[in-house]
Amino acid sequence: MDDVEINPQIELFINRHSTPSWVIEDATTDFIDLTYILKGRAYYAINGTTYEVNQGDLICIPKGSRRSATTDPKNLMTSYALNLHLYDLKGQDVHLPFPLITHIGEPKELNVLYNQLKLEWLKQNKGHKLKARALLLLILHYYFKFLYDKSNNGSIDNRIQKAIRYILSNLQSQIEVEELASIAGLTSAYFGTLFKKYMGASVKEYINRMKINNAENILLSGEFSVQEAAYKCGFEDIYYFSKLFKKIKGFPPSRILINNSRSDRQEMDILIK
């Protein structure tokens, strides 16, 4: 689902406070069920298998699944439940690549987002659905970070944050590991180890990825050639830049210029017609 532009549609959002007799009847869903357990315990049967879920668990039931649920009468469940649809920009269904059950814990940031979503959903002011969709995207972003971003495993060390700020402010320059280690106040060897621990990539890999992402943005503007974009990102060897760009992005930088040219021609055709 990397880099897929998604359009979320909320069918139902509820802050559920279950009673002892609460039940979801067995049926096939025509939506994605994304439920976060605030308190208590429940039992979800998904495609014939029963799962116990507890406080801090996230349930992600794909569209088209058979689902039923009950709560523990002695430990009633409270949850935020979302029935939603996800589409790409062509209107095709998008699958959420989340496990069925994940223990998220009780992060303050996530609770704030759900509270904001609840407020917008219940106020029903003009434009509330747009605001709700924006908050849903932030909630999904949080889950993606938790599940797939290695750098999200705990707070990033302040020394590493300082080095990252320097990298992002100097993408046009040659950046050496020794220089970053000095800024962080660490030896080069320890800095490299600590950086990879928090960022999930070596210093060089991270710098190259940020530089290539920056070059892609420069090329997408349509204002610069491949050579100019390379120079603006600290690359003097155009052959190396193009090779690295293709390795990271999966396509050569020239493709962006070709696509831009096609878009310009299509726009001109529309204006002429």
Side-chain angles (χ1 to χ4, degrees):
M1 198 174 159
D2 290 349
D3 297 328
V4 174
E5 295 288 344
I6 58 173
N7 175 25
Q9 301 290 335
I10 301 174
E11 184 173 307
L12 170 72
F13 173 64
I14 185 170
N15 183 192
R16 178 175 282 139
H17 296 266
S18 60
T19 63
S21 59
W22 173 81
V23 62
I24 293 178
E25 299 291 348
D26 182 54
T28 300
T29 63
D30 61 354
F31 48 79
I32 299 168
D33 179 345
L34 195 68
T35 297
Y36 173 65
I37 309 298
L38 287 168
K39 294 179 182 179
R41 179 179 296 114
Y43 303 94
Y44 275 73
I46 306 168
N47 295 325
T49 302
T50 300
Y51 301 86
E52 178 185 310
V53 290
N54 295 278
Q55 183 172 335
D57 285 344
L58 173 69
I59 311 162
C60 182
I61 305 176
K63 180 178 179 179
S65 301
R66 288 201 66 84
R67 173 202 64 162
S68 63
T70 58
T71 188
D72 182 343
K74 296 181 180 179
N75 193 6
L76 297 178
M77 178 193 68
T78 302
S79 66
Y80 284 122
L82 279 156
N83 295 350
L84 59 99
H85 302 274
L86 287 181
Y87 305 104
D88 62 20
L89 297 186
K90 295 181 180 179
Q92 301 297 314
D93 280 321
V94 174
H95 168 70
L96 272 179
F98 296 170
L100 280 176
I101 311 293
T102 306
H103 185 69
I104 300 294
E106 303 160 61
K108 181 178 179 181
E109 178 185 350
L110 184 61
N111 191 51
V112 168
L113 289 172
Y114 271 116
N115 279 330
Q116 289 178 330
L117 177 55
K118 178 181 177 180
L119 179 63
E120 292 299 326
W121 196 254
L122 295 180
K123 281 196 309 183
Q124 298 188 11
N125 289 344
K126 187 174 181 179
H128 80 281
K129 288 186 177 180
L130 183 61
K131 181 71 176 289
R133 288 164 62 192
L135 288 165
L136 172 57
L137 285 171
L138 288 173
I139 289 169
L140 292 176
H141 179 258
Y142 183 91
Y143 289 142
F144 270 102
K145 279 199 309 176
F146 183 91
L147 289 164
Y148 300 111
D149 186 354
K150 292 181 180 179
S151 68
N152 191 54
N153 296 331
S155 299
I156 298 177
D157 188 288
N158 288 333
R159 294 166 293 185
I160 300 302
Q161 289 182 358
K162 190 174 182 181
I164 290 171
R165 286 195 295 270
Y166 182 84
I167 291 170
L168 296 179
S169 298
N170 293 274
L171 292 175
Q172 75 285 357
S173 306
Q174 296 291 335
I175 305 172
E176 302 296 335
V177 175
E178 293 76 14
E179 181 182 11
L180 294 172
S182 177
I183 290 170
L186 303 169
T187 65
S188 296
Y190 183 60
F191 173 75
T193 300
L194 198 64
F195 191 95
K196 188 164 187 177
K197 172 187 174 183
Y198 283 104
M199 304 310 297
S202 71
V203 180
K204 185 176 180 180
E205 288 170 341
Y206 183 85
I207 292 172
N208 283 339
R209 187 163 69 246
M210 293 302 102
K211 283 177 173 284
I212 293 302
N213 286 346
N214 190 38
E216 182 181 31
N217 285 335
I218 290 171
L219 289 170
L220 285 169
S221 74
E223 299 173 5
F224 301 96
S225 67
V226 170
Q227 186 175 39
E228 290 170 330
Y231 287 160
K232 285 180 174 293
C233 295
F235 294 97
E236 296 183 0
D237 185 335
I238 305 304
Y239 174 76
Y240 173 71
F241 167 76
S242 297
K243 185 177 179 180
L244 183 64
F245 192 104
K246 186 173 182 179
K247 178 181 178 182
I248 292 175
K249 292 296 179 181
F251 56 86
S254 56
R255 180 187 293 182
I256 296 176
L257 298 183
I258 293 171
N259 289 340
N260 283 346
S261 178
R262 287 174 180 167
S263 296
D264 289 343
R265 287 198 299 272
Q266 290 171 352
E267 184 175 348
M268 184 61 69
D269 290 342
I270 291 172
L271 289 173
I272 291 172
K273 290 177 182 178

